[in-house]
């Protein structure tokens, strides 16, 4: 549902064509809620059918400019004030951390340092965006800067945590847990070999 409300939010700032919306998405919302051109245009059609958006003007070559309706603005306000944010339900990278004892400490450390570098690259991208964007007094600009700060702080925290975790997986306690996990599976492999008949019987 958030793509619907992202489109409504952008149109609450000012009427826009589908092309304009994509430019706004890429310039402001892509880091928080990325969307493809087909998704945005599809959502515009749904919103128009639902009466939350209307075609406010027609231009050359079939260009349509969309504007939010009163019902659309009411829906946006309802979503902002009464619908609980869902948040990310899954985190693939963090899930893997639970099972890093299956690999060697060096492999675990390499994985975590790669995550640290990824977070550092994300932060560098956001810092470049912060430096090169012309922040003005419009709603998307003011509140977009606040959202950008979230990304800057989160990426910094992720890098710091990943580098800390990379040291932790080489600690004596982590090494012992990893050795026990691998030994258990190596023992199981040996049992399997004893059970398997030789010579393809």
């Amino acid at each position: 549902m958030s793509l619907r409300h992202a489109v409504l939010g952008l149109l609450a700032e000012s009427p826009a064509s589908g092309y304009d919306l994509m430019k706004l998405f890429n310039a402001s919302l892509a880091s928080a809620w990325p969307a493809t051109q087909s998704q945005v245009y599809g959502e515009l059609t749904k919103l128009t059918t639902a009466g939350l958006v209307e075609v406010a003007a027609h231009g050359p070559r079939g260009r349509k400019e969309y504007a939010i309706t009163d019902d659309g603005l009411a829906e946006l306000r309802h979503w902002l004030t009464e619908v609980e944010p869902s948040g990310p339900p899954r985190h693939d990278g963090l899930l893997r951390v639970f099972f890093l004892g299956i690999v060697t400490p060096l492999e675990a450390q390499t994985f975590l340092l790669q995550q640290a570098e990824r977070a550092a690259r994300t932060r560098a991208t956001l810092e470049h965006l912060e430096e090169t964007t012309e922040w003005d007094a419009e709603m998307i600009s003011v509140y977009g800067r606040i959202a950008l700060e979230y990304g800057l702080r989160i990426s910094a925290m992720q890098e710091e945590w990943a580098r800390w975790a990379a040291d932790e997986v080489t600690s004596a306690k982590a090494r012992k847990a990893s050795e026990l996990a691998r030994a258990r599976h190596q023992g199981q492999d040996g049992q399997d070999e004893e059970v398997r008949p030789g010579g393809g019987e």
Side-chain angles (χ1 to χ4, degrees):
M1 292 298 290
S2 290
L3 176 57
R4 161 176 286 207
H5 296 98
V7 173
L8 287 174
L10 290 176
L11 291 177
E13 177 80 5
S14 65
S17 66
Y19 175 76
D20 294 333
L21 282 174
M22 279 310 306
K23 287 178 63 178
L24 285 168
F25 252 98
N26 293 332
S28 59
L29 304 185
S31 61
W33 201 271
T36 64
Q37 180 175 319
S38 61
Q39 289 174 326
V40 170
Y41 277 84
E43 198 60 54
L44 278 171
T45 299
K46 295 176 185 176
L47 289 168
T48 303
T49 301
L52 304 179
V53 159
E54 64 185 2
V55 177
H58 292 270
R61 296 184 297 278
R63 182 182 184 275
K64 296 178 182 178
E65 188 173 82
Y66 296 86
I68 193 169
T69 64
D70 289 343
D71 286 344
L73 191 58
E75 170 58 26
L76 180 60
R77 286 173 171 160
H78 167 75
W79 176 71
L80 286 168
T81 60
E82 299 181 40
V83 178
E84 185 72 20
S86 60
R90 296 181 179 89
H91 191 311
D92 179 76
L94 191 57
L95 177 63
R96 297 180 193 210
V97 174
F98 283 91
F99 311 115
L100 286 179
I102 298 299
V103 300
T104 67
L106 178 59
E107 289 172 322
Q109 186 179 55
T110 298
F111 169 80
L112 289 162
L113 289 176
Q114 288 172 342
Q115 301 309 300
E117 290 301 319
R118 182 179 179 183
R121 289 194 300 271
T122 297
R123 180 170 176 81
T125 298
L126 294 175
E127 286 175 341
H128 177 73
L129 180 62
E130 180 183 34
E131 294 168 1
T132 57
T133 299
E134 295 183 7
W135 306 101
D136 55 33
E138 297 294 328
M139 179 189 74
I140 294 298
S141 185
V142 172
Y143 289 92
R145 177 60 189 79
I146 293 173
L148 178 66
E149 183 65 24
Y150 173 87
L152 288 168
R153 296 188 187 198
I154 286 293
S155 56
M157 180 277 294
Q158 288 172 333
E159 181 184 2
E160 180 185 2
W161 170 83
R163 294 194 186 283
W164 168 83
D167 289 335
E168 285 294 301
V169 297
T170 61
S171 68
K173 187 174 184 179
R175 284 180 179 275
K176 181 64 175 178
S178 183
E179 288 169 4
L180 289 173
R182 291 200 305 278
R184 185 178 303 114
H185 288 286
Q186 288 169 356
Q188 183 62 47
D189 290 342
Q191 293 176 13
D192 290 344
E193 289 175 1
E194 291 178 5
V195 172
R196 293 191 193 103
E201 294 179 7

